[in-house]
Amino acid sequence: MLRASCKNANRPHNLGAIGNPTVDSLLQGGAELLASVDAAVLRDDHEIEEARAALVERLGEAKAVRVFAVAGNFEMMNRLVDGLGVQPTKASQSIAGDVGVPYNH
Amino acid sequence: MFGRIEQTDLMLSIDDSYEQLIQREWDHLSRPGTWLDGERRVGVAAAARAARNGETARAPIQAALVEAARRLTVEPATVTLEWIEALAAEGLDGLTYIEVLGICSRLAAVDTFLYGIGQPERPLPTAVAGSPTNAQVPEAELNGGFAPTVGPASPLSALSAIPPGREAMFDLHETFYLSLPEMGQLDIVKDLDRAQLELCAARTSALNECFF
């Protein structure tokens, strides 16, 4: 959906940032967004406050809240999919290399 | 339900839609479910939190429920059919497993959100007395997944054998991310633009080693 939405808007993007947050996603606030998702999902007590503050400074409070809400939603969805044993689509498997997350199942 | 959350400079402010969603989820968690009563539902949530926090689960629930809560919370990518079958041998049948899956996955959503915005974990609710409904969904059967679904196993059918759990999932999905109709709108802006929303989603999934 990231690739589809960027293509729809004719926006540059780099899927490699999904697997490696040091890669520039080419999206506004991408670096701050990724750092915040990482800190929240990984429960990084050392990083979360700095990441959150940088995210708010870059995008504003409402957008920052949405970042954490989306991360929360996919914490749910990932568990539903894995808990049920739903296999990834062929489309997902085919772009594993582009996003820098090898599919080894 | 929660009393006043003491706001500090470190916390982000949230609007009523988020707060009300959390209250609905806590209400749903506390009440008798389809296969588990309120006490065991809250016990599953407590075990899930204990696992995530590296603590010993103290909830007075059967060991299979504790193990299910643990793995679904801290290492969901390692779930296998063999593990689920082992749980069944210990008395945790497929439909109850689905109910546990719903509880743990939604709790992970709420707790990650609160952690991200700088709010403390909400105390788990007090269980409401009553018996589970034991409402069967006749159409639910094994269909490409590890547990029964209505139709082929998919993200959208994951909790279809437990309709109240599925409704709660969609409620959270719409509040935290997008509704089903909104998902078809590639140019939607919901605080973040669609590309930013999807970057959050994709990175979260990568961190959880979820390839779907």
Side-chain angles (χ1 to χ4, degrees), chain A residues 1 11 18 28 38 43-45 52 61 66 72-73 75 78-79 83-84, chain B residues 10 13 18 72-73 97 109 112 115-116 146 173 175 191 193 196 203 205 208:
Chain A
M1 294 306 293
R11 292 175 60 179
I18 295 170
Q28 183 186 29
D38 279 25
R43 291 293 196 283
D44 192 335
D45 293 339
R52 185 189 309 128
E61 191 168 16
R66 184 62 66 188
N73 186 71
E75 287 266 72
N78 294 162
R79 283 164 177 77
L84 194 61
Chain B
L10 300 174
S13 302
Y18 292 110
L72 291 170
T73 298
Y97 171 78
T112 295
Y115 181 84
F146 295 158
H173 194 281
T175 304
D191 299 313
D193 64 41
Q196 291 170 319
R203 181 59 185 166
S205 301
N208 285 324

PDB file of all heavy atoms in Angstrom, chain A residues 1 11 18 28 38 43-45 52 61 66 72-73 75 78-79 83-84, chain B residues 10 13 18 72-73 97 109 112 115-116 146 173 175 191 193 196 203 205 208:
ATOM      1  N   MET A   1       0.826  -1.211   0.000  1.00  0.00           N
ATOM      2  CA  MET A   1       0.000   0.000   0.000  1.00  0.00           C
ATOM      3  C   MET A   1       0.856   1.255   0.000  1.00  0.00           C
ATOM      4  O   MET A   1       0.439   2.296  -0.510  1.00  0.00           O
ATOM      5  CB  MET A   1      -0.940  -0.004   1.211  1.00  0.00           C
ATOM      6  CG  MET A   1      -1.984  -1.089   1.201  1.00  0.00           C
ATOM      7  SD  MET A   1      -2.981  -1.116  -0.319  1.00  0.00           S
ATOM      8  CE  MET A   1      -3.868   0.426  -0.169  1.00  0.00           C
ATOM      9  N   ARG A  11       4.533  10.304  -6.192  1.00  0.00           N
ATOM     10  CA  ARG A  11       5.513  10.789  -5.228  1.00  0.00           C
ATOM     11  C   ARG A  11       6.695   9.846  -5.176  1.00  0.00           C
ATOM     12  O   ARG A  11       6.525   8.616  -5.210  1.00  0.00           O
ATOM     13  CB  ARG A  11       4.889  10.830  -3.829  1.00  0.00           C
ATOM     14  CG  ARG A  11       3.810  11.848  -3.654  1.00  0.00           C
ATOM     15  CD  ARG A  11       3.180  11.716  -2.296  1.00  0.00           C
ATOM     16  NE  ARG A  11       4.150  11.900  -1.221  1.00  0.00           N
ATOM     17  CZ  ARG A  11       3.806  11.852   0.055  1.00  0.00           C
ATOM     18  NH1 ARG A  11       2.567  11.602   0.408  1.00  0.00           N
ATOM     19  NH2 ARG A  11       4.719  12.017   0.979  1.00  0.00           N
ATOM     20  N   ILE A  18      11.726   0.680   4.936  1.00  0.00           N
ATOM     21  CA  ILE A  18      10.913  -0.207   5.758  1.00  0.00           C
ATOM     22  C   ILE A  18      11.799  -1.193   6.512  1.00  0.00           C
ATOM     23  O   ILE A  18      11.606  -1.466   7.689  1.00  0.00           O
ATOM     24  CB  ILE A  18       9.898  -0.964   4.887  1.00  0.00           C
ATOM     25  CG1 ILE A  18       8.899   0.018   4.274  1.00  0.00           C
ATOM     26  CG2 ILE A  18       9.166  -2.029   5.705  1.00  0.00           C
ATOM     27  CD1 ILE A  18       8.009  -0.607   3.209  1.00  0.00           C
ATOM     28  N   GLN A  28       7.865  13.061   3.956  1.00  0.00           N
ATOM     29  CA  GLN A  28       7.997  14.111   4.955  1.00  0.00           C
ATOM     30  C   GLN A  28       7.977  13.501   6.361  1.00  0.00           C
ATOM     31  O   GLN A  28       7.079  12.736   6.699  1.00  0.00           O
ATOM     32  CB  GLN A  28       6.849  15.120   4.830  1.00  0.00           C
ATOM     33  CG  GLN A  28       6.962  16.285   5.803  1.00  0.00           C
ATOM     34  CD  GLN A  28       5.743  17.191   5.763  1.00  0.00           C
ATOM     35  OE1 GLN A  28       4.642  16.761   5.462  1.00  0.00           O
ATOM     36  NE2 GLN A  28       5.942  18.452   6.091  1.00  0.00           N
ATOM     37  N   ASP A  38       9.908   2.533  15.812  1.00  0.00           N
ATOM     38  CA  ASP A  38      10.880   1.601  16.383  1.00  0.00           C
ATOM     39  C   ASP A  38      10.872   1.669  17.905  1.00  0.00           C
ATOM     40  O   ASP A  38      10.840   0.645  18.592  1.00  0.00           O
ATOM     41  CB  ASP A  38      12.282   1.913  15.862  1.00  0.00           C
ATOM     42  CG  ASP A  38      12.546   1.335  14.482  1.00  0.00           C
ATOM     43  OD1 ASP A  38      11.563   1.119  13.738  1.00  0.00           O
ATOM     44  OD2 ASP A  38      13.712   1.117  14.141  1.00  0.00           O
ATOM     45  N   ARG A  43       9.649  -1.005  22.532  1.00  0.00           N
ATOM     46  CA  ARG A  43       9.582  -0.601  23.935  1.00  0.00           C
ATOM     47  C   ARG A  43      10.953  -0.116  24.413  1.00  0.00           C
ATOM     48  O   ARG A  43      11.475  -0.563  25.436  1.00  0.00           O
ATOM     49  CB  ARG A  43       9.112  -1.749  24.823  1.00  0.00           C
ATOM     50  CG  ARG A  43       7.663  -2.140  24.635  1.00  0.00           C
ATOM     51  CD  ARG A  43       6.696  -1.070  25.089  1.00  0.00           C
ATOM     52  NE  ARG A  43       5.349  -1.557  25.266  1.00  0.00           N
ATOM     53  CZ  ARG A  43       4.487  -1.813  24.274  1.00  0.00           C
ATOM     54  NH1 ARG A  43       4.863  -1.620  23.018  1.00  0.00           N
ATOM     55  NH2 ARG A  43       3.278  -2.275  24.542  1.00  0.00           N
ATOM     56  N   ASP A  44      11.514   0.817  23.686  1.00  0.00           N
ATOM     57  CA  ASP A  44      12.848   1.325  23.985  1.00  0.00           C
ATOM     58  C   ASP A  44      12.742   2.534  24.914  1.00  0.00           C
ATOM     59  O   ASP A  44      12.543   3.657  24.478  1.00  0.00           O
ATOM     60  CB  ASP A  44      13.556   1.698  22.671  1.00  0.00           C
ATOM     61  CG  ASP A  44      15.033   1.958  22.869  1.00  0.00           C
ATOM     62  OD1 ASP A  44      15.441   2.327  23.996  1.00  0.00           O
ATOM     63  OD2 ASP A  44      15.787   1.797  21.898  1.00  0.00           O
ATOM     64  N   ASP A  45      12.906   2.254  26.198  1.00  0.00           N
ATOM     65  CA  ASP A  45      12.768   3.318  27.203  1.00  0.00           C
ATOM     66  C   ASP A  45      13.822   4.410  27.028  1.00  0.00           C
ATOM     67  O   ASP A  45      13.607   5.549  27.444  1.00  0.00           O
ATOM     68  CB  ASP A  45      12.887   2.738  28.613  1.00  0.00           C
ATOM     69  CG  ASP A  45      11.725   1.826  28.975  1.00  0.00           C
ATOM     70  OD1 ASP A  45      10.648   1.946  28.340  1.00  0.00           O
ATOM     71  OD2 ASP A  45      11.890   0.986  29.878  1.00  0.00           O
ATOM     72  N   ARG A  52       9.840  10.742  20.350  1.00  0.00           N
ATOM     73  CA  ARG A  52       8.527  11.387  20.382  1.00  0.00           C
ATOM     74  C   ARG A  52       8.661  12.902  20.236  1.00  0.00           C
ATOM     75  O   ARG A  52       7.930  13.540  19.496  1.00  0.00           O
ATOM     76  CB  ARG A  52       7.810  11.047  21.683  1.00  0.00           C
ATOM     77  CG  ARG A  52       6.381  11.570  21.789  1.00  0.00           C
ATOM     78  CD  ARG A  52       5.802  11.377  23.182  1.00  0.00           C
ATOM     79  NE  ARG A  52       5.949  10.021  23.656  1.00  0.00           N
ATOM     80  CZ  ARG A  52       6.499   9.700  24.837  1.00  0.00           C
ATOM     81  NH1 ARG A  52       6.959  10.636  25.631  1.00  0.00           N
ATOM     82  NH2 ARG A  52       6.575   8.438  25.213  1.00  0.00           N
ATOM     83  N   GLU A  61       1.669  17.565  16.984  1.00  0.00           N
ATOM     84  CA  GLU A  61       1.199  16.596  17.962  1.00  0.00           C
ATOM     85  C   GLU A  61       0.162  15.632  17.402  1.00  0.00           C
ATOM     86  O   GLU A  61       0.218  14.425  17.660  1.00  0.00           O
ATOM     87  CB  GLU A  61       0.621  17.320  19.182  1.00  0.00           C
ATOM     88  CG  GLU A  61       0.350  16.404  20.358  1.00  0.00           C
ATOM     89  CD  GLU A  61       0.046  17.157  21.643  1.00  0.00           C
ATOM     90  OE1 GLU A  61      -0.254  18.365  21.567  1.00  0.00           O
ATOM     91  OE2 GLU A  61       0.110  16.546  22.715  1.00  0.00           O
ATOM     92  N   ARG A  66      -1.082  10.001  15.715  1.00  0.00           N
ATOM     93  CA  ARG A  66      -1.504   9.057  14.673  1.00  0.00           C
ATOM     94  C   ARG A  66      -0.407   8.038  14.380  1.00  0.00           C
ATOM     95  O   ARG A  66      -0.679   6.871  14.119  1.00  0.00           O
ATOM     96  CB  ARG A  66      -1.894   9.795  13.398  1.00  0.00           C
ATOM     97  CG  ARG A  66      -2.444   8.891  12.300  1.00  0.00           C
ATOM     98  CD  ARG A  66      -3.724   8.171  12.683  1.00  0.00           C
ATOM     99  NE  ARG A  66      -4.812   9.108  12.854  1.00  0.00           N
ATOM    100  CZ  ARG A  66      -6.004   8.785  13.329  1.00  0.00           C
ATOM    101  NH1 ARG A  66      -6.262   7.528  13.658  1.00  0.00           N
ATOM    102  NH2 ARG A  66      -6.940   9.700  13.466  1.00  0.00           N
ATOM    103  N   GLY A  72       0.202   0.898  16.811  1.00  0.00           N
ATOM    104  CA  GLY A  72      -0.627   0.051  17.667  1.00  0.00           C
ATOM    105  C   GLY A  72      -1.534  -0.845  16.854  1.00  0.00           C
ATOM    106  O   GLY A  72      -1.656  -2.051  17.108  1.00  0.00           O
ATOM    107  N   ASN A  73      -2.188  -0.278  15.846  1.00  0.00           N
ATOM    108  CA  ASN A  73      -3.086  -1.078  15.019  1.00  0.00           C
ATOM    109  C   ASN A  73      -2.364  -2.260  14.381  1.00  0.00           C
ATOM    110  O   ASN A  73      -2.899  -3.369  14.328  1.00  0.00           O
ATOM    111  CB  ASN A  73      -3.709  -0.208  13.932  1.00  0.00           C
ATOM    112  CG  ASN A  73      -4.759  -0.973  13.139  1.00  0.00           C
ATOM    113  OD1 ASN A  73      -5.832  -1.268  13.634  1.00  0.00           O
ATOM    114  ND2 ASN A  73      -4.435  -1.322  11.896  1.00  0.00           N
ATOM    115  N   GLU A  75       0.400  -3.649  15.461  1.00  0.00           N
ATOM    116  CA  GLU A  75       0.732  -4.626  16.521  1.00  0.00           C
ATOM    117  C   GLU A  75      -0.427  -5.621  16.641  1.00  0.00           C
ATOM    118  O   GLU A  75      -0.219  -6.819  16.827  1.00  0.00           O
ATOM    119  CB  GLU A  75       0.937  -3.901  17.846  1.00  0.00           C
ATOM    120  CG  GLU A  75       2.234  -3.114  17.928  1.00  0.00           C
ATOM    121  CD  GLU A  75       3.347  -3.922  18.560  1.00  0.00           C
ATOM    122  OE1 GLU A  75       3.850  -4.869  17.907  1.00  0.00           O
ATOM    123  OE2 GLU A  75       3.709  -3.619  19.706  1.00  0.00           O
ATOM    124  N   ASN A  78      -0.634  -7.695  13.031  1.00  0.00           N
ATOM    125  CA  ASN A  78       0.457  -8.662  12.895  1.00  0.00           C
ATOM    126  C   ASN A  78       0.178  -9.912  13.735  1.00  0.00           C
ATOM    127  O   ASN A  78       0.430 -11.041  13.297  1.00  0.00           O
ATOM    128  CB  ASN A  78       1.783  -8.048  13.352  1.00  0.00           C
ATOM    129  CG  ASN A  78       2.268  -6.909  12.477  1.00  0.00           C
ATOM    130  OD1 ASN A  78       3.120  -6.124  12.901  1.00  0.00           O
ATOM    131  ND2 ASN A  78       1.745  -6.790  11.260  1.00  0.00           N
ATOM    132  N   ARG A  79      -0.312  -9.717  14.956  1.00  0.00           N
ATOM    133  CA  ARG A  79      -0.599 -10.863  15.828  1.00  0.00           C
ATOM    134  C   ARG A  79      -1.760 -11.689  15.303  1.00  0.00           C
ATOM    135  O   ARG A  79      -1.746 -12.916  15.392  1.00  0.00           O
ATOM    136  CB  ARG A  79      -0.857 -10.389  17.254  1.00  0.00           C
ATOM    137  CG  ARG A  79       0.420 -10.037  17.987  1.00  0.00           C
ATOM    138  CD  ARG A  79       0.232  -9.226  19.238  1.00  0.00           C
ATOM    139  NE  ARG A  79       1.547  -9.036  19.870  1.00  0.00           N
ATOM    140  CZ  ARG A  79       2.442  -8.168  19.423  1.00  0.00           C
ATOM    141  NH1 ARG A  79       2.160  -7.380  18.403  1.00  0.00           N
ATOM    142  NH2 ARG A  79       3.625  -8.069  20.030  1.00  0.00           N
ATOM    143  N   GLY A  83      -0.922 -15.278  14.417  1.00  0.00           N
ATOM    144  CA  GLY A  83      -1.619 -16.197  15.318  1.00  0.00           C
ATOM    145  C   GLY A  83      -2.513 -17.171  14.588  1.00  0.00           C
ATOM    146  O   GLY A  83      -2.765 -18.273  15.060  1.00  0.00           O
ATOM    147  N   LEU A  84      -2.982 -16.741  13.421  1.00  0.00           N
ATOM    148  CA  LEU A  84      -3.858 -17.596  12.620  1.00  0.00           C
ATOM    149  C   LEU A  84      -3.077 -18.373  11.561  1.00  0.00           C
ATOM    150  O   LEU A  84      -3.620 -19.257  10.919  1.00  0.00           O
ATOM    151  CB  LEU A  84      -4.921 -16.729  11.947  1.00  0.00           C
ATOM    152  CG  LEU A  84      -6.119 -17.444  11.337  1.00  0.00           C
ATOM    153  CD1 LEU A  84      -6.891 -18.199  12.397  1.00  0.00           C
ATOM    154  CD2 LEU A  84      -7.027 -16.444  10.658  1.00  0.00           C
TER     155      LEU A  84
ATOM    156  N   LEU B  10       5.466  15.322  29.036  1.00  0.00           N
ATOM    157  CA  LEU B  10       5.975  14.254  28.204  1.00  0.00           C
ATOM    158  C   LEU B  10       4.876  13.529  27.453  1.00  0.00           C
ATOM    159  O   LEU B  10       5.146  12.792  26.535  1.00  0.00           O
ATOM    160  CB  LEU B  10       6.756  13.259  29.062  1.00  0.00           C
ATOM    161  CG  LEU B  10       7.967  13.843  29.796  1.00  0.00           C
ATOM    162  CD1 LEU B  10       8.571  12.797  30.718  1.00  0.00           C
ATOM    163  CD2 LEU B  10       9.007  14.341  28.821  1.00  0.00           C
ATOM    164  N   SER B  13      -1.362  14.749  23.941  1.00  0.00           N
ATOM    165  CA  SER B  13      -2.801  14.823  24.193  1.00  0.00           C
ATOM    166  C   SER B  13      -3.539  14.026  23.132  1.00  0.00           C
ATOM    167  O   SER B  13      -3.155  14.041  21.957  1.00  0.00           O
ATOM    168  CB  SER B  13      -3.267  16.279  24.120  1.00  0.00           C
ATOM    169  OG  SER B  13      -2.566  17.076  25.040  1.00  0.00           O
ATOM    170  N   TYR B  18      -9.979   8.490  20.605  1.00  0.00           N
ATOM    171  CA  TYR B  18      -9.047   7.493  21.122  1.00  0.00           C
ATOM    172  C   TYR B  18      -9.447   7.058  22.533  1.00  0.00           C
ATOM    173  O   TYR B  18      -9.451   5.870  22.864  1.00  0.00           O
ATOM    174  CB  TYR B  18      -7.626   8.072  21.178  1.00  0.00           C
ATOM    175  CG  TYR B  18      -6.987   8.355  19.840  1.00  0.00           C
ATOM    176  CD1 TYR B  18      -6.765   9.664  19.419  1.00  0.00           C
ATOM    177  CD2 TYR B  18      -6.586   7.316  19.001  1.00  0.00           C
ATOM    178  CE1 TYR B  18      -6.157   9.938  18.205  1.00  0.00           C
ATOM    179  CE2 TYR B  18      -5.974   7.579  17.786  1.00  0.00           C
ATOM    180  CZ  TYR B  18      -5.758   8.891  17.396  1.00  0.00           C
ATOM    181  OH  TYR B  18      -5.155   9.157  16.187  1.00  0.00           O
ATOM    182  N   LEU B  72       1.644 -15.207  21.936  1.00  0.00           N
ATOM    183  CA  LEU B  72       0.969 -14.256  21.053  1.00  0.00           C
ATOM    184  C   LEU B  72       1.414 -12.827  21.327  1.00  0.00           C
ATOM    185  O   LEU B  72       1.350 -11.980  20.446  1.00  0.00           O
ATOM    186  CB  LEU B  72      -0.547 -14.378  21.205  1.00  0.00           C
ATOM    187  CG  LEU B  72      -1.149 -15.675  20.659  1.00  0.00           C
ATOM    188  CD1 LEU B  72      -2.605 -15.812  21.062  1.00  0.00           C
ATOM    189  CD2 LEU B  72      -1.021 -15.734  19.134  1.00  0.00           C
ATOM    190  N   THR B  73       1.866 -12.555  22.543  1.00  0.00           N
ATOM    191  CA  THR B  73       2.292 -11.197  22.886  1.00  0.00           C
ATOM    192  C   THR B  73       3.746 -10.956  22.544  1.00  0.00           C
ATOM    193  O   THR B  73       4.082  -9.934  21.952  1.00  0.00           O
ATOM    194  CB  THR B  73       2.061 -10.933  24.386  1.00  0.00           C
ATOM    195  OG1 THR B  73       0.648 -11.036  24.651  1.00  0.00           O
ATOM    196  CG2 THR B  73       2.553  -9.560  24.795  1.00  0.00           C
ATOM    197  N   TYR B  97      -8.985 -20.411  21.625  1.00  0.00           N
ATOM    198  CA  TYR B  97      -7.718 -19.818  21.168  1.00  0.00           C
ATOM    199  C   TYR B  97      -7.986 -18.542  20.379  1.00  0.00           C
ATOM    200  O   TYR B  97      -7.290 -17.545  20.554  1.00  0.00           O
ATOM    201  CB  TYR B  97      -6.945 -20.825  20.317  1.00  0.00           C
ATOM    202  CG  TYR B  97      -5.743 -20.230  19.621  1.00  0.00           C
ATOM    203  CD1 TYR B  97      -4.554 -19.986  20.298  1.00  0.00           C
ATOM    204  CD2 TYR B  97      -5.804 -19.895  18.262  1.00  0.00           C
ATOM    205  CE1 TYR B  97      -3.455 -19.429  19.655  1.00  0.00           C
ATOM    206  CE2 TYR B  97      -4.716 -19.331  17.613  1.00  0.00           C
ATOM    207  CZ  TYR B  97      -3.549 -19.102  18.312  1.00  0.00           C
ATOM    208  OH  TYR B  97      -2.470 -18.542  17.670  1.00  0.00           O
ATOM    209  N   ALA B 109      -2.232  -3.531  20.842  1.00  0.00           N
ATOM    210  CA  ALA B 109      -2.479  -2.272  20.139  1.00  0.00           C
ATOM    211  C   ALA B 109      -2.608  -1.114  21.126  1.00  0.00           C
ATOM    212  O   ALA B 109      -1.959  -0.073  20.980  1.00  0.00           O
ATOM    213  CB  ALA B 109      -3.757  -2.382  19.300  1.00  0.00           C
ATOM    214  N   THR B 112       0.755  -0.463  23.135  1.00  0.00           N
ATOM    215  CA  THR B 112       1.789   0.176  22.315  1.00  0.00           C
ATOM    216  C   THR B 112       1.440   1.644  22.068  1.00  0.00           C
ATOM    217  O   THR B 112       2.309   2.520  22.127  1.00  0.00           O
ATOM    218  CB  THR B 112       1.949  -0.569  20.979  1.00  0.00           C
ATOM    219  OG1 THR B 112       2.441  -1.887  21.233  1.00  0.00           O
ATOM    220  CG2 THR B 112       2.907   0.157  20.050  1.00  0.00           C
ATOM    221  N   TYR B 115       2.088   3.611  25.271  1.00  0.00           N
ATOM    222  CA  TYR B 115       3.539   3.748  25.467  1.00  0.00           C
ATOM    223  C   TYR B 115       4.082   4.823  24.536  1.00  0.00           C
ATOM    224  O   TYR B 115       4.880   5.678  24.936  1.00  0.00           O
ATOM    225  CB  TYR B 115       4.218   2.408  25.212  1.00  0.00           C
ATOM    226  CG  TYR B 115       5.725   2.448  25.412  1.00  0.00           C
ATOM    227  CD1 TYR B 115       6.279   2.291  26.671  1.00  0.00           C
ATOM    228  CD2 TYR B 115       6.581   2.641  24.326  1.00  0.00           C
ATOM    229  CE1 TYR B 115       7.663   2.333  26.855  1.00  0.00           C
ATOM    230  CE2 TYR B 115       7.948   2.684  24.500  1.00  0.00           C
ATOM    231  CZ  TYR B 115       8.491   2.523  25.762  1.00  0.00           C
ATOM    232  OH  TYR B 115       9.859   2.573  25.942  1.00  0.00           O
ATOM    233  N   GLY B 116       3.655   4.783  23.295  1.00  0.00           N
ATOM    234  CA  GLY B 116       4.152   5.745  22.320  1.00  0.00           C
ATOM    235  C   GLY B 116       3.823   7.184  22.681  1.00  0.00           C
ATOM    236  O   GLY B 116       4.677   8.072  22.569  1.00  0.00           O
ATOM    237  N   PHE B 146      -4.746 -21.774  11.073  1.00  0.00           N
ATOM    238  CA  PHE B 146      -4.502 -22.682  12.182  1.00  0.00           C
ATOM    239  C   PHE B 146      -5.723 -22.888  13.058  1.00  0.00           C
ATOM    240  O   PHE B 146      -5.741 -23.762  13.927  1.00  0.00           O
ATOM    241  CB  PHE B 146      -3.384 -22.138  13.080  1.00  0.00           C
ATOM    242  CG  PHE B 146      -2.019 -22.054  12.437  1.00  0.00           C
ATOM    243  CD1 PHE B 146      -1.064 -21.202  12.951  1.00  0.00           C
ATOM    244  CD2 PHE B 146      -1.690 -22.825  11.328  1.00  0.00           C
ATOM    245  CE1 PHE B 146       0.200 -21.116  12.385  1.00  0.00           C
ATOM    246  CE2 PHE B 146      -0.427 -22.752  10.758  1.00  0.00           C
ATOM    247  CZ  PHE B 146       0.522 -21.895  11.292  1.00  0.00           C
ATOM    248  N   HIS B 173      -9.421  -0.862  14.583  1.00  0.00           N
ATOM    249  CA  HIS B 173      -8.796  -0.645  13.276  1.00  0.00           C
ATOM    250  C   HIS B 173      -9.227   0.701  12.696  1.00  0.00           C
ATOM    251  O   HIS B 173      -8.419   1.467  12.167  1.00  0.00           O
ATOM    252  CB  HIS B 173      -9.202  -1.796  12.363  1.00  0.00           C
ATOM    253  CG  HIS B 173      -8.422  -1.934  11.103  1.00  0.00           C
ATOM    254  ND1 HIS B 173      -8.624  -1.150   9.988  1.00  0.00           N
ATOM    255  CD2 HIS B 173      -7.442  -2.807  10.754  1.00  0.00           C
ATOM    256  CE1 HIS B 173      -7.808  -1.538   9.022  1.00  0.00           C
ATOM    257  NE2 HIS B 173      -7.078  -2.527   9.454  1.00  0.00           N
ATOM    258  N   THR B 175     -10.483   3.317  14.357  1.00  0.00           N
ATOM    259  CA  THR B 175     -10.080   4.456  15.188  1.00  0.00           C
ATOM    260  C   THR B 175      -8.587   4.720  15.076  1.00  0.00           C
ATOM    261  O   THR B 175      -8.160   5.861  14.956  1.00  0.00           O
ATOM    262  CB  THR B 175     -10.439   4.189  16.657  1.00  0.00           C
ATOM    263  OG1 THR B 175     -11.843   3.898  16.761  1.00  0.00           O
ATOM    264  CG2 THR B 175     -10.128   5.401  17.527  1.00  0.00           C
ATOM    265  N   ASP B 191      -4.820  12.691   9.586  1.00  0.00           N
ATOM    266  CA  ASP B 191      -3.663  13.334  10.221  1.00  0.00           C
ATOM    267  C   ASP B 191      -2.441  13.150   9.317  1.00  0.00           C
ATOM    268  O   ASP B 191      -1.894  14.094   8.772  1.00  0.00           O
ATOM    269  CB  ASP B 191      -3.395  12.771  11.631  1.00  0.00           C
ATOM    270  CG  ASP B 191      -4.557  12.998  12.567  1.00  0.00           C
ATOM    271  OD1 ASP B 191      -5.069  14.129  12.598  1.00  0.00           O
ATOM    272  OD2 ASP B 191      -4.983  12.033  13.241  1.00  0.00           O
ATOM    273  N   ASP B 193      -0.663  11.612   5.769  1.00  0.00           N
ATOM    274  CA  ASP B 193      -1.127  11.230   4.448  1.00  0.00           C
ATOM    275  C   ASP B 193      -0.986   9.716   4.296  1.00  0.00           C
ATOM    276  O   ASP B 193      -0.377   9.051   5.138  1.00  0.00           O
ATOM    277  CB  ASP B 193      -0.399  11.996   3.345  1.00  0.00           C
ATOM    278  CG  ASP B 193       1.087  11.713   3.261  1.00  0.00           C
ATOM    279  OD1 ASP B 193       1.484  10.534   3.411  1.00  0.00           O
ATOM    280  OD2 ASP B 193       1.871  12.655   3.044  1.00  0.00           O
ATOM    281  N   GLN B 196       2.482   8.109   4.537  1.00  0.00           N
ATOM    282  CA  GLN B 196       3.013   8.110   5.890  1.00  0.00           C
ATOM    283  C   GLN B 196       2.322   7.050   6.751  1.00  0.00           C
ATOM    284  O   GLN B 196       2.966   6.365   7.542  1.00  0.00           O
ATOM    285  CB  GLN B 196       2.839   9.495   6.526  1.00  0.00           C
ATOM    286  CG  GLN B 196       3.712  10.580   5.918  1.00  0.00           C
ATOM    287  CD  GLN B 196       3.320  11.954   6.402  1.00  0.00           C
ATOM    288  OE1 GLN B 196       2.124  12.268   6.512  1.00  0.00           O
ATOM    289  NE2 GLN B 196       4.298  12.804   6.675  1.00  0.00           N
ATOM    290  N   ARG B 203       6.646  -0.541   8.698  1.00  0.00           N
ATOM    291  CA  ARG B 203       7.786  -0.655   9.619  1.00  0.00           C
ATOM    292  C   ARG B 203       7.395  -1.479  10.853  1.00  0.00           C
ATOM    293  O   ARG B 203       8.168  -2.323  11.313  1.00  0.00           O
ATOM    294  CB  ARG B 203       8.274   0.732  10.035  1.00  0.00           C
ATOM    295  CG  ARG B 203       9.485   0.709  10.978  1.00  0.00           C
ATOM    296  CD  ARG B 203      10.681   0.004  10.363  1.00  0.00           C
ATOM    297  NE  ARG B 203      11.770  -0.097  11.328  1.00  0.00           N
ATOM    298  CZ  ARG B 203      12.844  -0.885  11.173  1.00  0.00           C
ATOM    299  NH1 ARG B 203      12.967  -1.626  10.086  1.00  0.00           N
ATOM    300  NH2 ARG B 203      13.787  -0.911  12.100  1.00  0.00           N
ATOM    301  N   SER B 205       5.223  -3.848  10.965  1.00  0.00           N
ATOM    302  CA  SER B 205       5.167  -5.243  10.520  1.00  0.00           C
ATOM    303  C   SER B 205       6.557  -5.828  10.340  1.00  0.00           C
ATOM    304  O   SER B 205       6.806  -6.984  10.687  1.00  0.00           O
ATOM    305  CB  SER B 205       4.373  -5.342   9.220  1.00  0.00           C
ATOM    306  OG  SER B 205       3.057  -4.852   9.406  1.00  0.00           O
ATOM    307  N   ASN B 208       7.967  -6.744  13.637  1.00  0.00           N
ATOM    308  CA  ASN B 208       7.313  -7.943  14.165  1.00  0.00           C
ATOM    309  C   ASN B 208       7.562  -9.167  13.289  1.00  0.00           C
ATOM    310  O   ASN B 208       7.001 -10.233  13.541  1.00  0.00           O
ATOM    311  CB  ASN B 208       5.808  -7.703  14.301  1.00  0.00           C
ATOM    312  CG  ASN B 208       5.470  -6.818  15.487  1.00  0.00           C
ATOM    313  OD1 ASN B 208       6.106  -6.897  16.529  1.00  0.00           O
ATOM    314  ND2 ASN B 208       4.467  -5.964  15.324  1.00  0.00           N
TER     315      ASN B 208
END
